[in-house]
Amino acid sequence: MKNIKVLTVSNTVWSDDNSFGMTYNSSFEGSEDCFDFANIYCNYGVPKNSCVKKYCQITEKTIIEHIKKGNSKCRVFDAESAYSAADVLQNREAKKHRELKKHRLQISMWARDFVWKKGLKDTSDIVNFVKEFNPDIIFTPMYYMFHTNKLLQTVIKSADVPVIAYISDDI
């Protein structure tokens, strides 16, 4: 019997170090003989789980690199190469990122939204990832960030499969 291909779109990296990852791990760990997972995520960090086989990561940093140098907006990798391929903030960048988040300055939120708006005009990298994975279903959390929801709309249109979306308690 063929495994069901499940695509998730998340803001957070699927890792057993955060609540999103712990929830998904406890829901799906041990079901690898029934499901094949792929995850598109919009944040920094290395995924840590035993469920997902393929990843597509897009961040503000990769979008800016795309605008400046024409690089791909997405980092596509498999579970085995996650540690070397995932976009991770270096110490100085991480500290700056934490400070911006802590102070929640409106100007930094506008800048982030501008980068995402510009970055999501051409979604061909994401569409290619979705078509290559060819999911049977999309199972995803709903977020309050426009960029994650915009990305999810693109994924839904390009996959043309049933979608299960839910709102978690912390939203």
Side-chain angles (χ1 to χ4, degrees):
M1 186 169 143
K2 163 187 140 161
N3 283 2
I4 298 170
K5 290 184 170 186
V6 181
L7 178 61
T8 63
V9 178
S10 61
N11 188 60
T12 310
V13 60
W14 185 333
S15 173
D16 54 19
D17 294 338
N18 60 46
S19 61
F20 166 74
M22 288 187 286
T23 299
Y24 268 48
N25 284 343
S26 65
S27 299
F28 297 111
E29 226 168 46
S31 63
E32 293 84 4
D33 56 339
C34 300
F35 300 106
D36 290 331
F37 285 96
N39 178 222
I40 299 173
Y41 67 103
C42 306
N43 221 319
Y44 303 96
V46 177
K48 286 196 275 182
N49 64 76
S50 62
C51 302
V52 183
K53 304 232 182 328
K54 291 190 165 285
Y55 296 93
C56 176
Q57 179 189 36
I58 181 170
T59 65
E60 291 92 356
K61 191 174 166 183
T62 58
I63 291 171
I64 292 169
E65 286 174 4
H66 171 75
I67 293 167
K68 286 181 177 178
K69 302 175 187 172
N71 299 353
S72 175
K73 281 184 265 189
C74 298
R75 292 178 188 254
V76 175
F77 51 92
D78 57 20
E80 290 79 35
S81 61
Y83 283 98
S84 61
D87 191 11
V88 180
L89 291 175
Q90 300 307 317
N91 287 340
R92 201 168 74 210
E93 292 174 314
K95 185 178 178 185
K96 200 184 308 182
H97 196 256
R98 278 192 305 274
E99 284 298 311
L100 284 172
K101 284 176 89 172
K102 186 168 102 178
H103 295 296
R104 299 194 56 81
L105 298 173
Q106 188 63 47
I107 190 84
S108 64
M109 290 184 211
W110 287 337
R112 182 191 67 188
D113 288 349
F114 176 77
V115 167
W116 277 103
K117 192 169 224 146
K118 188 106 171 130
L120 291 177
K121 283 189 180 194
D122 173 17
T123 55
S124 58
D125 292 348
I126 296 149
V127 170
N128 290 341
F129 178 81
V130 172
K131 292 202 181 288
E132 184 182 306
F133 182 66
N134 193 23
D136 297 312
I137 192 167
I138 298 169
F139 184 81
T140 187
M142 293 296 298
Y143 289 98
Y144 58 88
M145 284 93 55
F146 99 90
H147 65 276
T148 309
N149 291 327
K150 176 83 170 138
L151 181 64
L152 180 58
Q153 289 172 3
T154 299
V155 169
I156 290 169
K157 286 178 190 168
S158 61
D160 195 28
V161 295
V163 178
I164 298 172
Y166 64 92
I167 299 174
S168 61
D169 292 344
D170 60 345
I171 301 292

